[in-house]
Amino acid sequence: MARMSDPLVIGRVVGDVVDNFSPCVEMSVTYNSSKQVYNGHELFPSSVTTKPKVDVRGSDMRSFFTLIMTDPDVPGPSDPYLREHLHWIVTDIPGTTDSSFGKELVSYEVPRPNIGIHRFVFLLFKQRGRQTVVGPSSRHNFNTRSFAHENQLGLPVAGVFFNCQRETAARRR
């Protein structure tokens, strides 16, 4: 069960996107080979234009994982009535490797928040082996819980999120 001091609870990822879970696999997300994603830290839109490297340190190469990236704050965090927007899905990621070895089911979409500070959430699910994961019909109104249930993925085994807001010319300096 997630602790109240857990950044995913404080950041309302647990609750808004997924139910309580116990992380049991190490995952790191890095943009441009130097900007590692840490829970709640801010990244500028200009630094997340290319898909990140996602390293998974599962138990062995016979384990397979599905990675989901969503924005639960669409169109804006004060009224996210379009929650969630899907940004990326990679399936069949072998344990002890990175997402480039998986199958990109939904291509990476660059974060472009317009209103307020958005959370961009990466969740890793352990598959029951190599399995067919059925992609969603749309990126809009995506629901991580429903997607995981429909594809028999269970609860996440790892998660991390970053904050991002529209970048003004003054902030780029």
Side-chain angles (χ1 to χ4, degrees):
M1 178 151 190
R3 300 179 321 275
M4 288 309 291
S5 62
D6 182 333
L8 294 173
V9 172
I10 294 168
R12 296 181 341 272
V13 171
V14 170
D16 287 353
V17 182
V18 292
D19 296 324
N20 283 335
F21 69 97
S22 296
C24 57
V25 171
E26 288 184 46
M27 174 180 71
S28 66
V29 179
T30 309
Y31 280 95
N32 303 318
S33 70
S34 65
K35 293 196 181 302
Q36 185 162 354
V37 174
Y38 294 103
N39 284 317
H41 287 209
E42 183 174 9
L43 294 176
F44 293 126
S46 60
S47 67
V48 296
T49 57
T50 57
K51 65 179 139 184
K53 181 177 183 197
V54 179
D55 287 311
V56 176
R57 289 182 251 344
S59 53
D60 60 52
M61 290 294 287
R62 293 172 297 196
S63 299
F64 293 94
F65 297 90
T66 292
L67 174 74
I68 297 172
M69 178 188 176
T70 70
D71 174 357
D73 299 316
V74 177
S78 62
D79 186 18
Y81 64 88
L82 296 175
R83 172 177 296 161
E84 301 162 51
H85 183 80
L86 178 64
H87 281 267
W88 198 27
I89 296 179
V90 182
T91 65
D92 293 331
I93 302 168
T96 68
T97 187
D98 67 72
S99 58
S100 67
F101 290 93
K103 174 184 161 194
E104 195 172 57
L105 189 63
V106 175
S107 63
Y108 180 76
E109 182 179 274
V110 176
R112 290 187 181 97
N114 284 323
I115 303 166
I117 300 170
H118 289 238
R119 297 165 292 166
F120 290 89
V121 180
F122 293 89
L123 293 165
L124 189 69
F125 294 85
K126 186 172 182 179
Q127 298 175 195
R128 294 171 298 137
R130 280 199 187 261
Q131 69 184 69
T132 301
V133 174
V134 179
S137 58
S138 171
R139 290 180 186 263
H140 304 296
N141 296 319
F142 182 77
N143 186 295
T144 298
R145 284 183 186 94
S146 296
F147 180 81
H149 177 74
E150 290 162 7
N151 286 285
Q152 300 175 343
L153 295 172
L155 291 172
V157 294
V160 67
F161 77 101
F162 68 91
N163 293 321
C164 190
Q165 61 184 310
R166 194 166 143 214
E167 198 168 358
T168 63
R171 290 191 62 191
R172 282 188 213 118
R173 289 185 211 156

